[in-house]
Every structure is written in structure tokens, then in C-alpha cells.
Amino acid sequence: MSAGAERFSLTRQGPLAALSRLASAGSILPILLAALIIAMCVADPRFFGLPNITNILRNASALAIVACGQALVLIVGGFDLSVGATVALASEIAAVTMRWAAGIFPGQDVLVIALGVVAALGTGLLIGLVNGICVTVFRVSGFIVTLGSMSVTLGIALIITNGIPVYGLPQSFITEFGRARWLGVPGAAYVAIAVVLLLAFVQRRTLLGRYFYAIGGNVEAAVVSGVPTKRYQTVAYMISGLLASVTGLLLTALVGSGQASFGGDLMMLQSIAAAVIGGVSLHGGVGRVGMVALSALFLSVLSNSLNLLRVDSRIQPIFLGLILICAVSLDEIGRRRTVRE
């Protein structure tokens, strides 16, 4: 189709359909991000200051890691509402393990940190495994399963420490990992970049990535083709839990304590919003982690901008909710257009 014909087609379909097509092509998000950055540079000189940029990168990195895991679950046709709770529990498990290990192995910071990291990552994998088994074996809705596991996980996190932050972490874990900078860039940003690059490779170059898309696109056809759908759906939930625990570790190292207040409902909502705004379809089978990471950066810049502009914190969730509704609406319009075509 020629450029003129395509423009005529978009005009006939209406502005919402045209906007949906641009969104599905990934054209809107970079434009919105660039416009927001330019506007904030003009509105507030502090926005482009090094401390503020560092803060944005740290927040965006934590959100991007969780959102990429959420995106994989959405791609296979699932939902993971437990990611925020997993962040909190992994943080507390890591802190409790490190404090315990420090008493047994005094001066052995490397061993202490390694034990804490393994415990946190194991926690995320276990939560993801339980979610995956409940969805695939017992055939319970992913929404209901992860809603329940979110409640259970948060309850366990509160019971472990009674909601009190856990201190006593090795200082090297805080200074050389959580608050470290390399070439002026926070260490969390390097972790996020590594996660995004690895998952992008998995999506584009591996059988695992192709199976994820096949399952989300048409699970019945995938079964007929011989794809072990239950196994790979469970793997998607496990990856989501693992990445949520990585974010829990990053936040624990940054703050210097394990806290049940990390993650929560806001992290869950933001991860879904970042995935959907980044082009991941709620119907499964569509989405790229690169765009999800860009979407996480956009949401972090937006949140930071609202804070700099002193917008009431009670009003800020309204912006996130409206953006999420618009993104889901565009996704639905695009899906219906594709079905008609």
C-alpha cells in the first residue's frame, strides 16, 4: 500500500484507529518521552541535574526489570499480580539471611552476600513456580492465582519482621552494589540493561521465545504443534518471580535494609502499565521487552516530573490510571482492527 493510500485508510478508520496503529508500531512512546523530557527541561532546570537523572535511572531500572518479567507472563496469556509482593518478600529474605550469615561467618562479606542473594532469588523462583503450577496443572485463572499469592506473600513478609525494616547488611553490599556508580551511571542501570538484552535475545533468537509467542497467540494450535505449553507457561511465571526478586535485591542494597513496604500494589500496577504501554497485548502473543523498558523509563520520568512540579501525591495515581486505560483501549482497538482485516 502506498503512503497516500495508507493515510487515506487511516483517515477512514478514524483517529483512534490511526492512533492504535501508531502505538502498535511503537511510534508514539519515543515521541511522548522526548516531548516530556524537553518540556521538563524548560519547566524546571533541576530536571536535568545529575542527582535527578541518577534518581530517574534507578527508579526506571527497578521498574523495567519487574515489567519485563510481567511482559513475559502477559505474552503467554497470563497475569502476575504478585510481583510487588515478591519484591517485598525477597528483600526481607535477603536481609534476614545476610544478618544471620554475618553472625555465623563474621568478616566473610562475599559469602554472606552470596547466601542472601541466593535466598532472595530462590524465593522469587519458588513463588513463580507455585503460580505456574496452579495455573497450568490446576487450571485456575492466572489473575485469581496471583491475586491470592500476592496476599499470601505480603502476609508472610509482614509476619517475618512485623513490618519492621531489617538492618545489619554488609556495608560492601550497600556501597559497592546498591549505591555504586560506574562512569557516573548507577549500578542498577547496568543490571537492567543486562536483563533487557538477555530477554531480547531470548525473544528473538531462542526456541523458548518462539514458544512464548506461540502459546500466547493460540494455545490450542501450540498444543497441536507439540509445544509443551504447561512447562513453558510455568517457566514464564518463574522468570517473572525471579526478576521481581532481583528488583527486591536492588532496592535492599540501595536503602540498606530489607522492608516489607517495597513493591506492593504500586509496583504491580506500574509493571502492568509499563508492559501494556510498551506494546504488550493483554490478549497474549505480542510484545517486546525493549519497548517495555522504554515504557518503564517514560513512567519514571513522568513520576519524577510530577514530583518536581509539586503535584499532590494523592493525585499522581490518577495520571497512571488514565494512561493505563488509554493504553488498554488502544490495544483493544488494534486487536479488533486486526481481526476485521
Side-chain angles (χ1 to χ4, degrees), residues 21 60 64 74 84 120 177 208 218 236 243 259 292 303 314 331 340:
R21 176 166 293 184
L74 290 173
F177 181 65
L208 175 63
N218 191 325
L243 293 181
Q259 299 187 23
V292 172
S303 177
R314 294 170 298 180
D331 173 60
R340 288 197 302 268

Side-chain angles (χ1 to χ4, degrees), residues 204-240:
R204 294 176 180 271
R205 301 293 183 182
T206 68
L207 191 63
L208 175 63
R210 290 194 290 271
Y211 280 172
F212 281 168
Y213 287 117
I215 294 169
N218 191 325
V219 66
E220 290 82 7
V223 171
V224 172
S225 301
V227 177
T229 55
K230 293 182 179 180
R231 180 191 308 169
Y232 287 100
Q233 284 176 309
T234 302
V235 168
Y237 279 99
M238 292 178 68
I239 293 175
S240 180

Side-chain angles (χ1 to χ4, degrees), residues 9-10 13-22 330 333-334 337 340:
S9 175
L10 290 176
Q13 292 173 5
L16 286 178
L19 192 61
S20 173
R21 176 166 293 184
L22 288 174
L330 290 175
I333 292 172
R337 187 192 70 239
R340 288 197 302 268

Side-chain angles (χ1 to χ4, degrees), residues 162-174:
N162 294 320
I164 302 173
V166 180
Y167 296 95
L169 281 63
Q171 192 62 31
S172 58
F173 179 65
I174 300 171

Side-chain angles (χ1 to χ4, degrees), residues 10 18 26-27 44 56 59 66 73 87 101 105 121-122 127 130 132 150 157 182 184 195 228 243 267 290 324 334-335:
L10 290 176
S27 303
D44 195 327
I56 291 175
N59 292 335
V66 176
V73 174
V87 170
F105 308 105
L121 297 182
I127 294 172
V130 172
M150 176 185 70
W182 296 293
V195 168
L243 293 181
M267 179 69 78
L324 180 57
R335 187 182 72 89

Side-chain angles (χ1 to χ4, degrees), residues 269-314:
L269 179 61
Q270 287 179 331
S271 69
I272 296 175
V276 175
I277 294 171
V280 179
S281 174
L282 292 176
H283 300 281
V286 177
R288 296 289 185 184
V289 293
M291 291 303 298
V292 172
L294 186 64
S295 177
L297 178 60
F298 169 75
L299 291 178
S300 297
V301 171
L302 177 62
S303 177
N304 180 267
S305 301
L306 294 175
N307 288 331
L308 288 179
L309 296 175
R310 297 181 180 179
V311 176
D312 193 324
S313 60
R314 294 170 298 180

